[in-house]
Amino acid sequence: MDLIKSAVRVVALVILAGLSLGATPIQPHMQAARTNLLQARSALQRAARNKGGHRVNAIGYVNSAISEVDLGIQYDRRNNQAKKAVPVDQPNMQEALNRLKDAKNNLDKATADKAGHRANAIDYVNRAIDEVKAGIKVGD
């Protein structure tokens, strides 16, 4: 039940953050990453529950990644947007982030009977996403 409450809170925060950005997203790649993370979490939530705790752990990491995306967007708006006339999305970091989310989406679509290895891969991908987002937060 706590997981559901946490998920509802995160979705509400994401919606509010999205609304505050207006019609044109300032950081389209970060916005896309957030959308993909939400999709990945939804797929994990639909997966069978008997994954030895790994599915739940992966969902926790996805939630953390979503929070990091939101913080990265907020940081960039406060710090980088004031310094630069045109938003900079760090194209290589963004490309890495996009490829990681694509990998995670494909893992989510794979059949679940992989002796826990699929879940472990999702976990590592989520951790990698967190690190990429932290790197984006640091800036250029």
Side-chain angles (χ1 to χ4, degrees):
M1 193 53 105
D2 289 323
L3 181 62
I4 294 171
K5 288 179 185 177
S6 295
V8 169
R9 284 188 205 123
V10 170
V11 170
L13 287 172
V14 168
I15 291 169
L16 290 174
L19 292 175
S20 70
L21 293 175
T24 304
I26 293 172
Q27 300 177 52
H29 297 294
M30 290 292 278
Q31 298 295 334
R34 180 189 295 139
T35 298
N36 290 119
L37 287 166
L38 291 170
Q39 292 168 343
R41 184 180 60 205
S42 177
L44 285 167
Q45 289 170 333
R46 289 189 310 268
R49 303 220 180 294
N50 60 344
K51 304 292 182 230
H54 297 291
R55 184 188 65 85
V56 172
N57 290 341
I59 290 169
Y61 282 119
V62 170
N63 288 337
S64 294
I66 291 168
S67 295
E68 289 297 323
V69 169
D70 290 340
L71 291 171
I73 289 169
Q74 291 169 11
Y75 178 88
D76 193 68
R77 276 190 276 158
R78 282 190 313 268
N79 297 289
N80 295 331
Q81 299 307 314
K83 297 175 191 172
K84 302 170 187 168
V86 177
V88 174
D89 268 337
Q90 304 179 31
N92 292 317
M93 292 294 281
Q94 291 299 326
E95 179 65 20
L97 188 62
N98 291 340
R99 297 298 69 85
L100 285 167
K101 67 181 174 68
D102 290 343
K104 185 166 44 177
N105 283 334
N106 283 317
L107 286 167
D108 289 334
K109 293 174 186 175
T111 58
D113 58 344
K114 307 284 189 268
H117 298 293
R118 176 182 156 273
N120 288 342
I122 290 169
D123 185 37
Y124 284 124
V125 169
N126 288 331
R127 289 179 189 205
I129 287 171
D130 285 344
E131 291 299 323
V132 170
K133 286 178 182 30
I136 289 170
K137 184 176 178 183
V138 170
D140 295 330

